[in-house]
Amino acid sequence: MTTGSTAGVGARPWLVARVLEVRRETPTASTLVLDVDGWPGHLAGQHVDVKLTAEDGYSAQRSYSLASAPDGTSRIEIAVQNVSDGEVSPYLVGAVEVGDRFEIRGPVGRWFVWRPSAPTETPSPPVLLVGGGSGIVPLRAMVRAQAAAGSSGGRVPFRVLYSVREPAEVYFADEWAHPPAGVDVTTLYTRRAPTGSRRPLGRITIEDLDAHGWPAEFEPRCYICGPTSFVDTVADMLVERGHAPANIRTERFGPS
């Protein structure tokens, strides 16, 4: 199993990001659409460092996954979960406004990425994305990259399992209700489910993976992102079901 790397971040300069749009995702999370002067481009699954600097010179920085697929422009999106005692997220979720500026550095990460195949390459194998809570953010970038690639990328089939406590905490809810062609999304609720949900409340199980994931013989590329215990549990279940560890990539996701 491969865990995401932050190698190479030191070579990236700090860039100025201007806020173009703020979208509320959940009561405690927002997506920020940014225009970044000098943005070098990124791959789906990478993240950035965000730095806020106070008038007295004090600065704090945190890492946030990119929610947007690469599109060759200077526009990117990050999704931020508010941490009540945090130094960065309360501002980004509760106070930032269109036109505000702050610094970012990136993209960061080389392993937890997905890229579509070129027309001359062997088509990519199917993809399984498993996200827990806010860990869905980099996986959403991969789904968007799949949609943007279209038939030129071989329309790689994706299956998404999204574990979340309750409907109000679902990020990108409208997109999951109408996923792109070739993307199958299953939402698993742990504390409260919407009316009509048939699955019992609870954490993800090996039966969920059997029912909504890919069989090991398909040799899918598996990406898991979420809290450490969630990631370790899902990775172990996939290995138990015969998936090759080399095909499983993981990213731990949560507050600093």
Side-chain angles (χ1 to χ4, degrees), residues 31-49:
T31 289
L32 306 183
V33 182
L34 309 173
D35 182 74
V36 184
D37 187 29
W39 182 245
H42 66 280
L43 298 172
Q46 291 184 306
H47 59 279
V48 296
D49 293 331

Side-chain angles (χ1 to χ4, degrees), residues 221-233:
R221 297 297 181 263
C222 304
Y223 297 84
I224 313 165
C225 186
T228 296
S229 59
F230 174 88
V231 170
D232 290 344
T233 296

Side-chain angles (χ1 to χ4, degrees), residues 23-27 29-31 79 140 168-173:
R23 294 196 300 265
R24 182 67 75 177
E25 295 294 344
T26 77
S30 292
T31 289
R140 185 254 203 164
E169 297 188 6
V170 174
Y171 285 52
F172 321 120

Side-chain angles (χ1 to χ4, degrees), residues 19-130:
V19 180
L20 300 179
E21 183 183 351
V22 181
R23 294 196 300 265
R24 182 67 75 177
E25 295 294 344
T26 77
T28 58
S30 292
T31 289
L32 306 183
V33 182
L34 309 173
D35 182 74
V36 184
D37 187 29
W39 182 245
H42 66 280
L43 298 172
Q46 291 184 306
H47 59 279
V48 296
D49 293 331
V50 172
K51 181 168 69 173
L52 302 181
T53 303
E55 292 183 0
D56 63 3
Y58 175 78
S59 66
Q61 64 186 66
R62 297 290 184 270
S63 296
Y64 296 103
S65 290
L66 289 155
S68 51
D71 63 4
T73 74
S74 59
R75 292 168 62 107
I76 63 172
E77 297 181 18
I78 61 174
V80 182
Q81 173 70 44
N82 183 49
V83 179
S84 59
D85 59 349
E87 293 185 299
V88 175
S89 63
Y91 169 75
L92 295 179
V93 176
V96 75
E97 297 179 348
V98 171
D100 286 348
R101 288 173 166 82
F102 50 81
E103 292 179 284
I104 73 164
R105 181 172 61 185
V108 183
R110 298 177 179 178
W111 297 107
F112 195 78
V113 298
W114 180 83
R115 51 172 69 83
S117 301
T120 57
E121 296 178 337
T122 301
S124 298
V127 174
L128 173 64
L129 308 178
V130 187

Side-chain angles (χ1 to χ4, degrees), residues 132-153:
S134 56
I136 196 67
V137 175
L139 308 184
R140 185 254 203 164
M142 297 179 188
V143 170
R144 284 196 153 194
Q146 185 265 16
S151 58
S152 65

Side-chain angles (χ1 to χ4, degrees), residues 156-171:
V156 177
F158 273 38
R159 291 183 178 176
V160 183
L161 275 72
Y162 183 15
S163 177
V164 65
R165 289 185 293 189
E166 58 180 291
E169 297 188 6
V170 174
Y171 285 52

Side-chain angles (χ1 to χ4, degrees), residues 229-243:
S229 59
F230 174 88
V231 170
D232 290 344
T233 296
V234 174
D236 288 345
M237 289 191 294
L238 289 174
V239 171
E240 182 180 335
R241 278 296 190 256
H243 292 264

